[in-house]
Amino acid sequence: MEKIYSRTKGLQAPFTGGFCPGCFHGVISKSVAEVLEEMDLLDRAVCVIGVGCCCICSRYFDFDKMNAPHGRAPAVATGLKHGAPKDTVVFTYQGDGDLASIGIAEIMYAANRGENITIVFVNNSTYGMTGGQMAPTTLIGQKATTSPYGRNVAEHGYPMHMCEVLNQLGAPVFIERVSCDSPAGVLKAKKALQKGFQNQLDGKGFSFIELMSSCPTNWGMTPLESVAFMREHTLKEFEVKNFRDR
Amino acid sequence: MERKFMKGSEAIAEAAIRGGCRFFSGYPITPQNEIPEYFARRAPEVDGFSFRQGESEVASVNMVMGAAASGARAMTSSSSPGVALKSEGMSYIAGSALPMVLCSVMRGGPGIGSIQPSQQDYWQATKAMGNGGFKMLVFAPHTVQEAVDMTYTAFDYAERDHNPVCILADGCIASMMEPVSLPEFVSDEDIEKARDKRNYYITIGKGKHADGKHVEISSGAGRVKADVEFMKSYGDIGADYGVRGEVSNRSMAAMFKRWAEKDVAYEEYMMDDAEIVIAAYGTAARVSKAAIAVLRKEGIKAGLLRPILVNPFPTAAFKSLDPKKIKHILDVEMSIPGQMLEDVEHAVQGAIPISTCLRSCGVIISREEIVAAVRNLK
């Protein structure tokens, strides 16, 4: 019998979980690892991991990895890229609180300098690990522990659209938002990740991939409800599309 | 050895390059702007060197953290409120057991302070650069030449200890011009050899480590991987996060103890027959030497005990001062309140009376003030 599918070597066994049921970090981190393996990069990749649920990946990723302070991963990756071997792929793995709030300066300027790195940005509209506080990406009206009556524009402003913001800059070469809510979406996400890593190998510069996720635990929903909510609301606010491919 | 007339900041930057520094990131803040400016000018001339102007102090120190993880000798510099902003990164660097050099050019007080020479950040540098109880070797140059020599060797200490090293200067050291002898360039081969000693992350981006695993750098228990010697007495400590973190902290504590035993450095200036001992470091010590020359002419037997490193502090040297011989200690600092004063008091334990001669907020202490303070000792 032919073996047509096996777990990627990019994830350490035993992959016993750590993410909540229904969370997309599992499929996203698996996709990252699979793409790296497919591109034969497992021995040449370094992941700079942010702070939040994303750092649970440091248990699983079976390639070089480094934990950055909250929000600072793009700065750490900038320095790391300098001294690493030339054919190393340096990428960050960050959530939306990490990247779009406390790390807003670091992401903006790494992008604006056009650093030859790749950013993997997981957007689940909440601070997951700390228990569901309002994130820069929380939708208008969406409840969080620090916006218990729902996010309102008067007090909290509008959700941050990082792809659109970065698309104002001159230097980035690749900006795409994908969603992993379906098998087709996962395949598209993998393609975008591959493109992001290949750009770096080709010396082209800064690539940014935003992967939409749900957070059933902190949204207070079942996994299925959270996917339905995502399709009905989140993906309308955060349009899945390619913004730039140079 | 090349002899040059150089500004302190620029001499520090050149010494770093000659010491093998290959990555610098910083952010503009007076009175240390000439350090990043010099690195930026020199960058294209030095093979393999990268300069980045960070978007913030925070980003700068994190870039250095990444560069250090990649195996490059890396450095940042700043001044008081800027150093405070770097404290997050410094703590992560120490926690991750990464070597780097920080040059802190002190300002004169809390908040924005003053940009003129001051020594108001002794506690920040020696006691609490950031969260988590880490410390650094803190070198306190009192001449530009000393700043050059200290910066040049700082990278060796950082790599020896897998820990950041601090050069603690002030606006005087950074701004004044003095003739300096510049050390030879560390060769690429020597840098490479030093790099090989960085056991646990040497393979970053190059496949699996000899232990069959990929590199994992984390500030949670960094020393467990870095401090190979220390870990020999522990054997396998398992994967429990709390256990590993605690052992890592024990390694840190053991390192502090080693520093106190082996790395203490101080200068005894005219101490043989001294009856009055001035305790001072950096620029305050420099001025104190001039004051001692005046006092000696008056027949007052004054000497100077100058910590060359302010951490580890030369506690034993102060402790061993003979109360029968030494009538008084005068703590001279460009800081109000006196900060090193607490370390002197801790060492002397009341055996010898201690007075202070302090200026602050950018007022450079004068020879005359110190002379007068010594004369007035009772």
Side-chain angles (χ1 to χ4, degrees), chain B residues 340-359:
Chain B
M340 186 177 79
L341 176 64
E342 288 190 355
D343 287 335
V344 177
E345 286 172 340
H346 172 71
V348 174
Q349 294 283 319
I352 301 168
I354 302 171
S355 295
T356 58
C357 178
L358 311 172
R359 295 310 301 266

Side-chain angles (χ1 to χ4, degrees), chain B residues 36-328:
Chain B
E37 285 168 358
Y38 187 88
F39 275 115
R41 277 203 305 279
R42 281 285 267 138
E45 300 164 3
V46 181
D47 200 25
F49 187 92
S50 279
F51 168 85
R52 285 284 187 287
Q53 177 167 327
E55 59 271 24
S56 65
E57 299 283 4
V58 173
S60 303
V61 73
N62 279 288
M63 288 182 200
V64 167
M65 179 177 173
S70 77
R73 288 189 162 185
M75 177 172 171
T76 186
S77 65
S78 191
S79 180
S80 307
V83 174
L85 283 167
K86 288 191 199 292
S87 68
E88 173 200 58
M90 293 303 295
S91 178
Y92 273 77
I93 286 167
S96 305
L98 292 167
M100 57 80 77
V101 176
L102 162 73
C103 181
S104 165
V105 183
M106 293 179 277
R107 287 187 172 204
I112 201 155
S114 71
I115 58 169
Q116 289 82 14
S118 192
Q119 297 182 315
Q120 206 77 23
D121 294 331
Y122 178 93
W123 286 333
Q124 183 192 40
T126 61
K127 314 291 184 203
M129 177 55 74
N131 64 297
F134 76 95
K135 290 191 184 191
M136 303 172 292
L137 290 177
V138 182
F139 290 85
H142 82 316
T143 64
V144 175
Q145 182 65 58
E146 207 174 29
V148 164
D149 298 339
M150 287 171 169
T151 307
Y152 184 74
T153 52
F155 295 96
D156 292 331
Y157 284 105
E159 284 166 6
R160 181 197 71 178
D161 293 338
H162 303 279
N163 200 57
V165 169
C166 178
I167 307 291
L168 186 65
D170 59 56
C172 257
I173 299 294
S175 305
M176 71 179 163
M177 293 188 80
E178 287 195 294
V180 288
S181 297
L182 293 169
E184 299 300 319
F185 287 86
V186 175
S187 70
D188 287 346
E189 293 78 49
D190 285 344
I191 295 173
E192 212 43 52
K193 266 186 216 159
R195 209 169 162 140
D196 286 344
K197 286 185 201 149
R198 303 176 178 204
N199 44 56
Y200 76 98
Y201 49 92
I202 183 61
T203 57
I204 202 154
K206 294 181 192 167
K208 286 184 178 170
H209 196 275
D211 64 4
K213 292 179 183 165
H214 280 109
V215 178
E216 180 179 2
I217 299 176
S218 160
S219 65
R223 300 200 62 81
V224 164
K225 289 177 189 159
D227 196 347
V228 175
E229 276 306 305
F230 183 80
M231 292 309 294
K232 278 179 186 164
S233 59
Y234 270 92
D236 185 8
I237 58 167
D240 183 85
Y241 191 75
V243 172
R244 294 177 73 79
E246 191 187 57
V247 172
S248 186
N249 288 349
R250 287 189 195 284
S251 147
M252 192 165 75
M255 174 171 69
F256 299 163
K257 212 173 156 207
R258 282 198 303 277
W259 290 349
E261 287 161 4
K262 291 181 182 165
D263 291 320
V264 170
Y266 56 91
E267 180 190 6
E268 290 180 305
Y269 181 77
M270 301 218 170
M271 283 289 289
D272 286 347
D273 61 345
E275 293 173 351
I276 307 292
V277 171
I278 293 175
Y281 72 96
T283 296
R286 178 89 171 253
V287 183
S288 295
K289 283 185 176 176
I292 287 168
V294 174
L295 290 163
R296 287 270 167 180
K297 276 185 193 159
E298 292 179 13
I300 298 173
K301 290 177 179 170
L304 169 71
L305 185 47
R306 174 177 76 93
I308 293 172
L309 276 83
V310 286
N311 188 59
F313 189 75
T315 305
F318 278 96
K319 202 172 182 177
S320 66
L321 292 176
D322 184 356
K324 289 180 202 124
K325 218 181 113 196
I326 311 291
K327 291 178 192 161
H328 218 115

Side-chain angles (χ1 to χ4, degrees), chain A residues 48-51 66-74 76 98, chain B residues 62 65 92 217:
Chain A
V48 183
I49 303 173
V51 171
M66 172 170 184
N67 291 100
H70 199 20
R72 318 300 176 216
V76 173
D98 188 90
Chain B
N62 279 288
M65 179 177 173
Y92 273 77
I217 299 176

Side-chain angles (χ1 to χ4, degrees), chain A:
Chain A
M1 196 184 287
E2 191 194 355
K3 191 174 183 181
I4 56 164
Y5 181 81
S6 62
R7 182 168 59 203
T8 166
K9 291 189 181 75
L11 296 176
Q12 283 169 3
F15 192 97
T16 53
F19 297 117
C20 304
C23 171
F24 284 27
H25 269 297
V27 69
I28 292 170
S29 56
K30 186 184 81 163
S31 300
V32 168
E34 283 178 350
V35 170
L36 288 173
E37 188 184 12
E38 285 156 19
M39 295 176 76
D40 197 20
L41 288 172
L42 290 178
D43 283 341
R44 297 197 275 143
V46 187
C47 181
V48 183
I49 303 173
V51 171
C53 287
C54 57
C55 68
I56 294 173
C57 287
S58 57
R59 292 189 208 164
Y60 309 127
F61 280 163
D62 199 2
F63 36 84
D64 291 348
K65 62 213 165 188
M66 172 170 184
N67 291 100
H70 199 20
R72 318 300 176 216
V76 173
T78 297
L80 189 50
K81 184 75 183 174
H82 160 76
K86 294 297 164 223
D87 58 353
T88 307
V89 165
V90 177
F91 70 100
T92 72
Y93 188 100
Q94 303 173 259
D96 45 303
D98 188 90
L99 182 140
S101 190
I102 197 167
I104 189 75
E106 284 75 12
I107 188 63
M108 288 299 290
Y109 281 87
N112 199 42
R113 288 190 302 269
E115 294 291 345
N116 190 28
I117 58 175
T118 309
I119 308 290
V120 178
F121 169 46
V122 181
N123 176 358
N124 63 3
S125 308
T126 187
Y127 283 85
M129 184 169 267
T130 46
Q133 293 80 11
M134 184 180 63
T137 44
T138 298
L139 307 186
I140 302 297
Q142 198 171 6
K143 287 181 181 172
T145 59
T146 49
S147 58
Y149 310 107
R151 180 177 189 147
N152 72 78
V153 171
E155 266 185 80
H156 310 122
Y158 294 90
M160 291 283 284
H161 298 77
M162 289 310 297
C163 286
E164 287 84 343
V165 169
L166 294 175
N167 200 29
Q168 304 305 308
L169 303 175
V173 294
F174 184 78
I175 302 170
E176 183 159 325
R177 183 181 291 126
V178 293
S179 176
C180 295
D181 62 310
S182 67
V186 172
L187 288 176
K188 273 189 188 163
K190 285 181 72 173
K191 269 191 186 152
L193 290 165
Q194 188 186 19
K195 181 83 186 173
F197 296 140
Q198 190 60 47
N199 283 343
Q200 194 178 147
L201 290 171
D202 295 342
K204 285 172 92 172
F206 186 89
S207 298
F208 184 88
I209 300 109
E210 176 173 356
L211 301 106
M212 298 306 299
S213 171
S214 70
C215 180
T217 300
N218 289 303
W219 291 3
M221 297 176 190
T222 66
L224 283 178
E225 284 166 357
S226 76
V227 171
F229 180 90
M230 216 176 139
R231 288 175 180 161
E232 187 157 341
H233 302 284
T234 316
L235 297 181
K236 285 182 183 148
E237 178 73 29
F238 293 97
E239 191 188 355
V240 168
K241 68 178 234 188
N242 178 277
F243 292 82
R244 189 180 294 187
D245 186 3
R246 287 178 183 162

